[in-house]
Amino acid sequence: MELRQLEKPKPRLLLFRSIRANLPPFILQHFEDQEDCLRQSFNLHVISDIDCDLDRLCDLHQPELLMFESGVYAGKRTIRNYHTHQHIPRIGFCNSDAYCAARSIFLSDMDRWGVETFFTHSISMPSYTTEIADRLFLWPNSVNPKRFSFQRQPKCTTVLLTGSRAPHYPWRNAISRILSERFPVANSPHFGWFDANAAGTMVMGDAYVQQLAQSIFVPACGSIAREAVRKHFEIPAAGACLIAEKTPALEAAGFVDMENCIFADQSDVVDKVSYLLDHPPELECIVEAGKNLVHLRHTIRKRTQVADWLALHKQRREGQRIQQRDPFGKLELVANDSLSDPSCFSSGSEQITIIRSGMVDVGRNDLMAARAKFTRSNNWRFTTEAALGMALASIRDGRPRVAMEWIWRILDNDLSMNALEPEPVVWATLIRAWLCMGKLNEARRHSQVIPWVNHHELDRMRNLVAHLSNLPPPARSTLPQRATVHALEKLAIEEWRSRLAADMRKCGQFQLSDQMASLSLDAFPENVSIDSITTPTELADSTLRQIEALRRAHKRSLGAVAARLEMRISGPPSRRLFPMAKRWAMKRLGIQESGLVRKSADLAATADYAQVVLHTPATTILADAVLSGAAQNPNLRFTNPVANSIFQSVNGARIFLILGEDQCDSVDLPLLMERAEVLVLDGTPTRKSRKFISDLLAAGLFDRLEFDINPRGAIFRRRAEEKPGTFTSSLLPVFENG
C-alpha cells in the first residue's frame, strides 16, 4: 500500500477520437492497441462523441494533455468551445498513410482546433508532408505483446501471401508472383479497410496471428511510401521469417538482411529462400533474432513518444525545442539553432520523388514529361499532389476545363471523407482555372468561399480577382497561414504574376492578361491583415452547401458531364435502359454488385486511358458500370469515347478494354498489349481464356488485380513501373465540350 501511495500519478489525457461506422474488426483492434499504448503512460479518457463540448470536458477531467485525432478513419465530429483552455498543451494525431488525401483534412481540422504539434504512425509522412515536418513527431506502428504470447507453432505453410494486391504495393505484387512460381504458397486475401461486411471473410485477430505462426516465410510490403507497417513487426513477433524490401524505415527499425529478416527483390528472393530452406539452423537463427528484435524494440511498451513530448514540453525553456533524431526512439530537448538530421525521416519513396520532379517540369513548361510522371504516380495510387500537378499542367497547356475536372476530383474525394472545407491551394487553382477560362464572375464567386483560411496562393488569387472586378481588397483573417500538403514554391510576386499572365494568354484570355499586367504590385499586399475573420463552427454546414451549389453550377455551365454521358445513353433502348434499370433495382433492393463490376467501375473513373473498347454485349451490367465510371473520367475527351474494336479506336490511344471470355481469339494479343491500359475479362474461365491469361502475364507488362473470392472474370492493369510513352492519352488531341 505504501508503494502504491509513493507511485507518481499518471498525467490525464483526453483523446478526441470519432471514427466512421462499419469499420472491419482488425481496424478497431488497431485503435484498441493504440489506446493500450497510451494507457501505459497516461490516465486516458477517449472522447468518441460525435458532438462534444471541450470546455465542459476539460472542467470535468482536468486533463494535462489534449490529443485530437483526424485522418482516413475519422467520422463526422463537432467539437464546441474548442477555443477554450488554451493553457492545456494540444497535439494532433494523423491516422493515415503518407500518401492519403486525408492529410489535407487533418491539417484543416488541426488548424480549426488550434493544434500546432503533430504525431503520426507513418514513418514516411515527413517526406510527403514537408511543410509540417519540423513539428511532426513519429509514434510508429508496433505490436501488442498480449496478442503474441503463445507457444511456437508447427509449420504447415512454406510461404504465406497476405495483404492487398493493389497497384500501390508493387514490391509485394512482384515478389508474390515470383514466389508463387517456385514454392508452395498459401494465399490470405485482403478485402479492404472500410467495410466490415466486405472484410467479413478475412482472417483476423487470433486466427491471423496463428496463420503467421504456422508459416515459414511471409513477405510484407511498405507500399510505394516505403513505410514500416504493422505487418513488418507482426510477422517476426509470430515466429515467421520476414521477407521485405530494403528501405530506410526498416533499417532504422533495426532489421538486417540475413540476420533477423530477408531483404530481397525480384533478382534474389528465390535464391535466399532456397538457401534458408536448405539450411534450417540458419533459418532458425534469423527467425529467433527477428522475434527478439520486435519484442525488445517494437512493442507498445517501447512507444513512449507522446509521454516523452509532454515531459519535455514541461521542461522546455526559452531557446529550446523538442527534436526526434531516431524515428523509433525517444525525443529530446535541443537548442533552437542546432541542426536536425533529415536522413532519419527520408523514406526514399519513388512516388514523392516523381511528383516533385513533375512539378519542376511544369515550372519549366516540359508538360509532356510532367504529365507522364503524374500519370505514373496515379497509376500506383491517386494522390492530391499528382492530381493538382495534372491540373496545373492542363492550365499551362491551354486546357482549363480539363484542369477543373482534376480539381473537382480532388475536392469530391476530400468531401467524401468528411472534409469541412476545401484545401486552400486546390481552391486557389480552381479560381485560376476560372480566370483562364475568362469567367471572372465565377472566379469572384469562388474567391468568396472560406474567407477565414489564410494561404499565400489563395490570398493572391483573392486580391487579383477583387482588383479585376473593381472591388475593394477582400477582408483577411488574422489566423496563421494554413499548412498544406502541396509543396508549392512561394514565388516572388513579379514571377507569380508573370506565370499567371502566360497561362491566361495560353488559354486565349488576352484581355484579362493585359488587365492584370497593368495592375500595380501594390494590389497584392503580402502579410497584411485588413480585417479580422473568425471561424465559427456554425459555418461548416453552410460552407459545404455553398460548395455543393458551386459544383452543380460547374456541371450546368460547362456541360462537363452531359456530353460524355452520351456514350452511355446512345444506341437502342435495350442498350441504354436495361442495364441501367437493373443496376438501379439492385441498389434499391440492397443487392451488392460483384467485385468485378465494382472494381471495373472504379478503374474506369480513375485510370489514364482515352477510350473504352467493348468486345462484349453493351447490355450487360458490367458494361453499364464501366461506362458510368468512364463518364466521370477527365481523360476521356474524344468525340468517339466508345469503340467496338481496338482497330476502331483512335490510333495510338490507350484503351479500357472489356473482353468476353469467348472473345479471346478475336483480338490481336500484341496490339492489346501495346494499347490496353486496363483489360477486364468477363465470364467463366475456359481453357482458351486460361491460355490467353498465361500469355498476357508472360509478357510482364500487366498485373492481375485481386478483387473478390472466386471471381467470375479477371482484371489486368498495365504496370505502374512502365513509364508512359508515346501511347499515353495526354499526347493526343483533346475534345472539350462547348
Side-chain angles (χ1 to χ4, degrees):
M1 189 62 137
E2 292 179 358
L3 288 175
R4 289 184 181 177
Q5 291 175 347
L6 291 175
E7 287 181 0
K8 186 177 180 180
K10 296 178 181 178
R12 291 178 295 277
L13 168 62
L14 287 190
L15 169 60
F16 291 85
R17 163 174 269 174
S18 176
I19 59 175
R20 62 171 68 184
N22 199 38
L23 290 175
F26 75 94
I27 295 294
L28 300 179
Q29 188 179 90
H30 295 167
F31 294 144
E32 181 182 333
D33 288 346
Q34 290 165 356
E35 292 169 14
D36 283 351
C37 181
L38 291 172
R39 285 193 178 94
Q40 296 175 140
S41 305
F42 295 97
N43 182 355
L44 177 67
H45 295 277
V46 180
I47 310 301
S48 57
D49 299 338
I50 295 176
D51 189 343
C52 63
D53 188 320
L54 185 141
D55 187 29
R56 185 186 66 81
L57 289 169
C58 288
D59 288 342
L60 176 65
H61 296 288
Q62 296 294 308
E64 296 176 53
L65 180 63
L66 302 176
M67 187 175 190
F68 299 85
E69 178 178 338
S70 180
V72 69
Y73 302 116
K76 292 184 178 180
R77 64 277 188 205
T78 299
I79 302 177
R80 289 177 283 109
N81 292 318
Y82 52 79
H83 58 280
T84 62
H85 297 273
Q86 292 290 332
H87 64 284
I88 303 175
R90 304 181 181 206
I91 59 174
F93 174 43
C94 184
N95 195 353
S96 76
D97 289 316
Y99 44 72
C100 184
R103 291 170 296 146
S104 297
I105 301 168
F106 170 81
L107 293 174
S108 172
D109 289 341
M110 297 304 108
D111 185 73
R112 175 177 296 102
W113 298 328
V115 181
E116 298 180 352
T117 301
F118 315 123
F119 279 80
T120 179
H121 58 65
S122 168
I123 302 298
S124 302
M125 186 74 73
S127 297
Y128 276 77
T129 316
T130 56
E131 192 167 311
I132 62 169
D134 61 340
R135 46 198 173 112
L136 178 63
F137 298 98
L138 300 176
W139 183 39
N141 286 311
S142 58
V143 298
N144 193 333
K146 72 180 183 182
R147 306 190 193 283
F148 294 85
S149 55
F150 53 84
Q151 297 296 320
R152 290 287 296 272
Q153 302 290 309
K155 302 295 184 180
C156 56
T157 302
T158 303
V159 179
L160 174 65
L161 304 178
T162 69
S164 171
R165 302 290 180 84
H168 56 283
Y169 296 104
W171 180 92
R172 177 186 300 171
N173 293 332
I175 293 298
S176 297
R177 184 171 55 252
I178 292 171
L179 293 176
S180 298
E181 295 171 353
R182 297 296 300 270
F183 303 101
V185 302
N187 284 282
S188 183
H190 195 283
F191 300 115
W193 298 266
F194 303 101
D195 188 341
N197 298 324
T201 56
M202 282 177 59
V203 179
M204 293 180 277
D206 292 340
Y208 165 69
V209 175
Q210 293 294 324
Q211 188 181 56
L212 294 178
Q214 293 169 2
S215 304
I216 301 175
F217 299 99
V218 186
C221 173
S223 80
I224 48 177
R226 310 188 82 196
E227 191 62 76
V229 300
R230 285 181 180 84
K231 194 171 295 183
H232 284 131
F233 306 123
E234 292 168 340
I235 292 167
C241 182
L242 170 67
I243 304 175
E245 180 183 17
K246 185 177 181 179
T247 64
L250 292 186
E251 289 185 297
F255 286 103
V256 180
D257 184 32
M258 301 301 284
E259 183 175 311
N260 49 29
C261 73
I262 297 176
F263 284 150
D265 56 27
Q266 299 176 57
S267 66
D268 60 3
V269 64
V270 170
D271 292 339
K272 289 185 176 182
V273 171
S274 298
Y275 174 81
L276 290 176
L277 287 175
D278 292 339
H279 298 80
E282 292 187 38
L283 173 61
E284 180 64 23
C285 289
I286 291 175
V287 170
E288 192 64 24
K291 185 175 182 180
N292 290 337
L293 171 69
V294 172
H295 284 281
L296 286 173
R297 293 186 55 187
H298 301 296
T299 67
I300 61 173
R301 298 190 186 105
K302 301 298 181 180
R303 299 298 189 251
T304 62
Q305 287 85 359
V306 176
D308 293 344
W309 183 88
L310 179 60
L312 294 173
H313 176 77
K314 293 177 178 179
Q315 301 170 18
R316 185 171 54 181
R317 299 291 181 263
E318 185 176 352
Q320 291 183 317
R321 60 186 174 88
I322 302 174
Q323 180 177 273
Q324 185 178 23
R325 298 180 190 273
D326 178 0
F328 293 93
K330 292 181 176 293
L331 281 62
E332 59 184 346
L333 282 175
V334 298
N336 282 338
D337 56 356
S338 66
L339 298 177
S340 301
D341 181 9
S343 62
C344 291
F345 303 103
S346 177
S347 66
S349 167
E350 185 179 4
Q351 184 192 37
I352 198 64
T353 301
I354 286 174
I355 290 173
R356 289 180 182 151
S357 176
M359 294 302 291
V360 172
D361 291 336
V362 171
R364 63 189 184 194
N365 277 332
D366 190 354
L367 303 181
M368 184 183 298
R371 281 195 296 267
K373 291 170 182 175
F374 298 139
T375 297
R376 187 181 182 195
S377 174
N378 279 332
N379 280 348
W380 279 319
R381 173 69 180 240
F382 176 85
T383 57
T384 61
E385 293 98 321
L388 183 73
M390 290 291 273
L392 292 170
S394 298
I395 291 174
R396 190 140 296 181
D397 201 28
R399 301 186 296 162
R401 293 183 182 179
V402 177
M404 281 194 174
E405 294 296 323
W406 283 108
I407 295 167
W408 277 109
R409 174 71 57 78
I410 299 171
L411 296 170
D412 289 344
N413 193 52
D414 288 353
L415 294 174
S416 72
M417 292 190 290
N418 301 314
L420 296 178
E421 60 197 23
E423 209 279 340
V425 174
V426 174
W427 200 251
T429 307
L430 182 60
I431 298 172
R432 176 186 289 255
W434 279 116
L435 287 175
C436 289
M437 288 179 61
K439 305 285 187 177
L440 182 57
N441 288 340
E442 289 296 336
R444 185 168 59 252
R445 288 179 63 193
H446 287 71
S447 69
Q448 293 167 353
V449 178
I450 55 170
W452 57 83
V453 175
N454 266 350
H455 188 275
H456 63 83
E457 189 72 19
L458 183 56
D459 291 338
R460 287 174 172 179
M461 293 305 305
R462 287 167 174 159
N463 281 328
L464 173 61
V465 170
H467 281 85
L468 292 176
S469 304
N470 294 317
L471 295 174
R476 294 182 61 186
S477 171
T478 56
L479 297 173
Q481 288 272 308
R482 171 71 59 83
T484 175
V485 302
H486 300 286
L488 292 184
E489 179 186 3
K490 185 176 180 180
L491 302 171
I493 190 62
E494 298 89 344
E495 177 67 15
W496 180 86
R497 186 171 67 169
S498 174
R499 291 193 184 185
L500 179 54
D503 290 346
M504 287 180 171
R505 289 193 295 273
K506 182 68 176 180
C507 296
Q509 305 305 321
F510 299 101
Q511 184 176 351
L512 272 179
S513 176
D514 293 341
Q515 189 178 348
M516 182 182 67
S518 66
L519 294 176
S520 167
L521 292 180
D522 295 336
F524 304 95
E526 302 280 318
N527 302 320
V528 176
S529 175
I530 301 171
D531 196 2
S532 178
I533 300 174
T534 58
T535 3
T537 305
E538 297 77 30
L539 286 180
D541 290 339
S542 63
T543 299
L544 294 178
R545 288 194 297 270
Q546 188 179 8
I547 293 172
E548 181 57 34
L550 292 172
R551 177 65 159 139
R552 291 194 299 268
H554 158 70
K555 292 180 179 180
R556 287 195 302 269
S557 64
L558 296 182
V561 173
R564 280 178 284 143
L565 278 176
E566 288 177 3
M567 66 182 181
R568 185 183 174 202
I569 62 177
S570 62
S574 62
R575 171 177 172 175
R576 68 176 183 263
L577 294 179
F578 174 72
M580 294 173 66
K582 190 171 182 180
R583 291 185 72 209
W584 177 85
M586 289 174 64
K587 185 176 181 180
R588 291 296 299 268
L589 294 172
I591 302 174
Q592 192 174 46
E593 293 176 329
S594 70
L596 180 76
V597 172
R598 294 196 309 273
K599 184 67 175 177
S600 298
D602 290 343
L603 286 172
T606 58
D608 184 38
Y609 62 96
Q611 287 184 289
V612 176
V613 177
L614 300 176
H615 274 263
T616 189
T619 55
T620 64
I621 287 180
L622 173 63
D624 182 73
V626 167
L627 295 177
S628 298
Q632 308 300 321
N633 195 312
N635 298 303
L636 272 74
R637 288 288 173 171
F638 296 97
T639 54
N640 53 340
V642 181
N644 293 324
S645 76
I646 300 179
F647 296 99
Q648 292 177 3
S649 61
V650 174
N651 184 37
R654 282 279 171 85
I655 60 172
F656 190 114
L657 175 63
I658 306 178
L659 186 65
E661 292 282 1
D662 57 347
Q663 298 292 320
C664 292
D665 292 337
S666 67
V667 297
D668 185 330
L669 185 59
L671 183 61
L672 181 153
M673 289 191 289
E674 177 185 277
R675 300 276 293 281
E677 179 67 27
V678 178
L679 166 64
V680 179
L681 204 59
D682 183 27
T684 304
T686 63
R687 182 174 58 83
K688 286 185 178 180
S689 67
R690 291 191 182 96
K691 174 66 167 57
F692 177 85
I693 291 172
S694 177
D695 293 342
L696 183 69
L697 292 177
L701 299 176
F702 292 84
D703 286 320
R704 182 170 181 167
L705 306 184
E706 293 189 3
F707 53 85
D708 217 339
I709 299 178
N710 299 321
R712 179 182 177 275
I715 301 176
F716 303 87
R717 184 169 187 176
R718 188 173 295 275
R719 287 187 183 173
E721 291 89 345
E722 181 192 338
K723 296 182 179 180
T726 57
F727 294 102
T728 182
S729 61
S730 61
L731 307 183
L732 300 173
V734 295
F735 170 75
E736 292 194 358
N737 301 303

